Amino acid sequence: MPHDLALAIDLGGTKVEASLVDREGTLLDGSRSRKSTGAAKTSDELAASVRAVVTSALAALPAEGRVSGVGIGAAGPIRQAEGLVSPLNLPAWRDYPLHELVSEIVHEHAADLVADAPVTLRMDGLCITLAEHWVGAAQGVGNVLGMVVSTGIGGGLILGGHTVPGPTGNAGHIGHVEVAGFDDPCACGGRGCLEAVASGPRSVAWAREQGWTGTTGEELAESYAAGDGVARAAIMRSGRAIGRAIGSVTALVDLELVAVGGGFSRATPDLFDHIRIGIDEHSGLEFTRKVRVVPSLLSDIGPLVGAAALVHRADLL
Amino acid sequence: MPHDLALAIDLGGTKVEASLVDREGTLLDGSRSRKSTGAAKTSDELAASVRAVVTSALAALPAEGRVSGVGIGAAGPIRQAEGLVSPLNLPAWRDYPLHELVSEIVHEHAADLVADAPVTLRMDGLCITLAEHWVGAAQGVGNVLGMVVSTGIGGGLILGGHTVPGPTGNAGHIGHVEVAGFDDPCACGGRGCLEAVASGPRSVAWAREQGWTGTTGEELAESYAAGDGVARAAIMRSGRAIGRAIGSVTALVDLELVAVGGGFSRATPDLFDHIRIGIDEHSGLEFTRKVRVVPSLLSDIGPLVGAAALVHRADLL
């Protein structure tokens, strides 16, 4: 059924996007749209942004098309069973009923076309992991951590061939797995969380404390490429911490593969060498060292493809 | 079928035990036996110990009894699919075919009574978690970490109502989840692993470094009860590290409940207060703080009951 489409929605800290996605994981031409979100927005403004992108995507539905389901990936934490979201970087939304909002918008605008379409909400980290498993770097692998290393650090789990959302929907928060030897304060209130050590902004901050004078992750990558010693130390530090956390996670759930994406993960291909060093430092145990770490094969469409997988690959849920 | 029995075997670093266990999780009177193992034993001596306990348990099979399956819990690491074990504290056995050995012994001694009995091997941490879920502190809870805090620190996972062995069978190794702020060298080759910080022997060693003069976990517990400042600091340190690791694990897999057993976990009931402080220190995230931590309800029969659950509760595998 070539016109069996998913409506995919990705809600993040800086933007919300929607698109129609076919059964092969391809975004339908002209159906993708984006609106900004952000910490300054009110709840009504956020809802209006969601409404705008969903309406725009549905307006692109071809005459012969049909929406078989709606998939929503949202920044966490969430309360999956209740359909509520509390994205850390969107303070206006705490326990906000996003599932209900999307259901209403969809039925207002296209009740005839989506009458029976189920609406499925998951954390965004789970969605990007699904996308890697479906069409990315983790195809055919049953025990996978998908990771995003960017402004924050997040992820999702597939174990034994199925997604692991957890009872509240928040499994996969590798950003809040601690790393030994570090004590950096984390936005979550803890200390030494991976996100507090190894994210793009935290790596930039660390480099600045050592005397580097740039201000962005992109500049840090440029300095690394130019051989700047502090920039090299900063990215090595990030990679080793990521590897140490992957080691802990593998000790716990016996991962086979980690697929790493996100802007800061592309700072330099060397990052993956530093991650490997971190994994080997973590432990000499054979079963933790066996984990493979590869770059994501998805571009910035990963979150939307993953949200669509909630519909098209519901067999993995 | 009251006489539908499991043959349960638990292989650990200091002993191997076997027993017949009924469908209610009760050990059959007179069927339990034990032999020592230990780092000094040769491979043949270890095999003879296994043979002795299995033979002894089978000799107790009542006339009207039937062995419907054999469950083996083994100290890790293991290679579950191949039936091989490499218990860290039994250096004579590396990739040893324990599944094959047990199958041979069982069929030699009772081929008529166990003709179709499947033999299932899992890591011991998974078995104790199954036991807690079946008849212990985690009944009715779908997302559980079972933990043993003793000479080492190990565990096992039930997520979404089913065990998570991992592709190699080694999931649940919480002892090798790192704890931020610590740098203690671990026997696994890493640094800052929970086991290297918080086990009984490591807590004793830390207390001695601070001037305490005892030598065992039992003495440390007595000093704690007597109000000794260093002993109190040592057990507080252990509990907080355990709590921090539980926080990391909950961030990753969204646990509902942790059931903690093992000799050192009974040093003082206060340990659970220190664990709670560690969880709250780990993060302010609501979904990590929601995890409950309770003492194991199983005595030292837990590992055998859990091995029997591999047979009687195969629906959870």
Side-chain angles (χ1 to χ4, degrees):
Chain A
M1 208 186 312
H3 301 297
D4 188 14
L5 298 163
L7 171 62
I9 302 164
D10 176 56
L11 174 71
T14 60
K15 65 182 191 301
V16 58
E17 292 195 280
S19 183
L20 298 171
V21 181
D22 72 16
R23 296 184 68 89
E24 281 71 50
T26 305
L27 274 57
L28 200 72
D29 278 348
S31 72
R32 182 182 187 183
S33 70
R34 168 191 299 205
K35 289 280 179 183
S36 63
T37 57
K41 289 279 199 298
T42 66
S43 178
D44 285 349
E45 288 169 342
L46 292 172
S49 290
V50 171
R51 181 176 298 273
V53 297
V54 169
T55 306
S56 172
L58 288 175
L61 190 65
E64 71 279 26
R66 180 181 91 84
V67 172
S68 56
V70 181
I72 312 170
I78 68 175
R79 287 170 59 189
Q80 180 180 300
E82 299 88 348
L84 309 177
V85 302
S86 306
L88 271 188
N89 297 315
L90 301 178
W93 275 4
R94 288 295 173 266
D95 286 340
Y96 181 83
L98 180 63
H99 187 283
E100 183 183 334
L101 174 72
V102 168
S103 300
E104 283 175 7
I105 298 169
V106 165
H107 287 90
E108 280 169 25
H109 285 263
D112 49 331
L113 297 167
V114 296
D116 301 320
V119 179
T120 305
L121 169 71
R122 292 290 185 274
M123 208 166 63
D124 51 4
L126 185 144
C127 291
I128 61 111
T129 308
L130 265 178
E132 296 290 347
H133 188 80
W134 185 22
V135 296
Q139 294 175 57
V141 184
N143 298 276
V144 182
L145 174 72
M147 267 185 91
V148 173
V149 180
S150 179
T151 310
I153 294 183
L157 286 169
I158 289 177
L159 299 177
H162 288 89
T163 60
V164 176
T168 70
N170 288 298
H173 267 94
I174 187 175
H176 302 286
V177 168
E178 297 183 9
V179 185
F182 290 94
D183 203 29
D184 306 64
C186 184
C188 79
R191 303 188 79 90
C193 293
L194 177 62
E195 180 169 292
V197 175
S199 71
R202 290 296 307 164
S203 297
V204 164
W206 184 86
R208 289 177 59 86
E209 288 165 15
Q210 319 303 313
W212 180 74
T213 56
T215 55
T216 68
E218 290 75 10
E219 288 168 354
L220 194 66
E222 288 164 17
S223 292
Y224 184 99
D228 178 88
V230 172
R232 295 189 79 86
I235 286 180
M236 184 177 304
R237 176 179 175 276
S238 170
R240 286 171 68 174
I242 292 168
R244 298 280 292 261
I246 288 172
S248 287
V249 170
T250 304
L252 190 75
V253 296
D254 198 5
L255 293 172
E256 295 173 281
L257 183 75
V258 182
V260 186
F264 195 63
S265 77
R266 293 185 286 270
T268 162
D270 293 357
L271 181 70
F272 287 80
D273 298 330
H274 304 314
I275 291 174
R276 173 51 52 191
I277 291 169
I279 291 171
D280 290 346
E281 275 180 359
H282 165 77
S283 172
L285 295 170
E286 188 184 346
F287 85 92
T288 63
R289 291 186 169 208
K290 66 131 174 20
V291 66
R292 293 181 296 128
V293 182
V294 297
S296 162
L297 283 183
L298 300 166
S299 63
D300 71 343
I301 65 169
L304 284 172
V305 171
L310 298 174
V311 177
H312 291 314
R313 295 304 309 273
D315 58 305
L316 299 173
L317 302 186
Chain B
M1 209 185 313
H3 301 296
D4 188 14
L5 298 163
L7 171 61
I9 302 163
D10 176 54
L11 173 71
T14 58
K15 65 182 191 304
V16 58
E17 291 195 280
S19 182
L20 298 173
V21 182
D22 72 15
R23 296 184 67 89
E24 282 71 49
T26 305
L27 273 57
L28 201 72
D29 278 349
S31 71
R32 182 182 186 182
S33 69
R34 169 192 296 205
K35 288 281 180 184
S36 64
T37 56
K41 290 280 198 298
T42 67
S43 179
D44 284 349
E45 288 168 342
L46 293 172
S49 291
V50 171
R51 180 176 297 273
V53 296
V54 169
T55 306
S56 171
L58 288 174
L61 190 64
E64 71 279 28
R66 180 180 93 83
V67 172
S68 56
V70 181
I72 311 170
I78 69 173
R79 286 169 61 189
Q80 180 179 300
E82 299 88 348
L84 309 177
V85 303
S86 307
L88 272 187
N89 297 316
L90 300 179
W93 275 4
R94 287 295 172 266
D95 286 339
Y96 181 83
L98 180 62
H99 187 284
E100 184 182 333
L101 174 71
V102 169
S103 299
E104 284 175 7
I105 298 168
V106 166
H107 287 91
E108 280 169 25
H109 285 261
D112 49 334
L113 297 168
V114 297
D116 301 320
V119 179
T120 305
L121 169 72
R122 292 290 186 275
M123 208 166 63
D124 50 4
L126 185 143
C127 291
I128 61 110
T129 309
L130 264 177
E132 295 290 347
H133 187 80
W134 185 21
V135 296
Q139 293 175 57
V141 184
N143 298 275
V144 182
L145 174 72
M147 268 184 92
V148 174
V149 181
S150 179
T151 310
I153 295 182
L157 286 169
I158 289 177
L159 299 178
H162 288 88
T163 61
V164 177
T168 70
N170 289 298
H173 266 95
I174 187 176
H176 302 285
V177 167
E178 298 183 8
V179 185
F182 290 93
D183 202 29
D184 305 64
C186 184
C188 79
R191 302 189 80 89
C193 292
L194 176 62
E195 179 169 292
V197 175
S199 72
R202 290 296 306 163
S203 297
V204 164
W206 183 86
R208 289 177 59 86
E209 288 164 16
Q210 319 303 313
W212 179 75
T213 56
T215 55
T216 68
E218 290 75 10
E219 289 168 353
L220 193 66
E222 287 163 18
S223 293
Y224 183 99
D228 179 87
V230 172
R232 294 190 80 87
I235 287 180
M236 184 178 303
R237 175 179 175 276
S238 170
R240 286 171 68 175
I242 293 168
R244 297 280 293 260
I246 289 172
S248 286
V249 170
T250 304
L252 190 75
V253 297
D254 198 6
L255 293 172
E256 294 172 281
L257 183 74
V258 182
V260 186
F264 196 64
S265 77
R266 294 186 284 271
T268 163
D270 293 357
L271 182 71
F272 287 80
D273 298 331
H274 303 315
I275 291 174
R276 172 52 52 190
I277 291 169
I279 292 170
D280 290 346
E281 276 180 358
H282 165 77
S283 172
L285 295 170
E286 188 185 344
F287 85 93
T288 62
R289 290 186 168 208
K290 65 125 172 33
V291 66
R292 292 181 295 128
V293 182
V294 297
S296 163
L297 283 183
L298 301 166
S299 63
D300 70 342
I301 64 168
L304 284 172
V305 172
L310 299 174
V311 176
H312 290 313
R313 296 303 311 272
D315 58 304
L316 299 173
L317 302 185

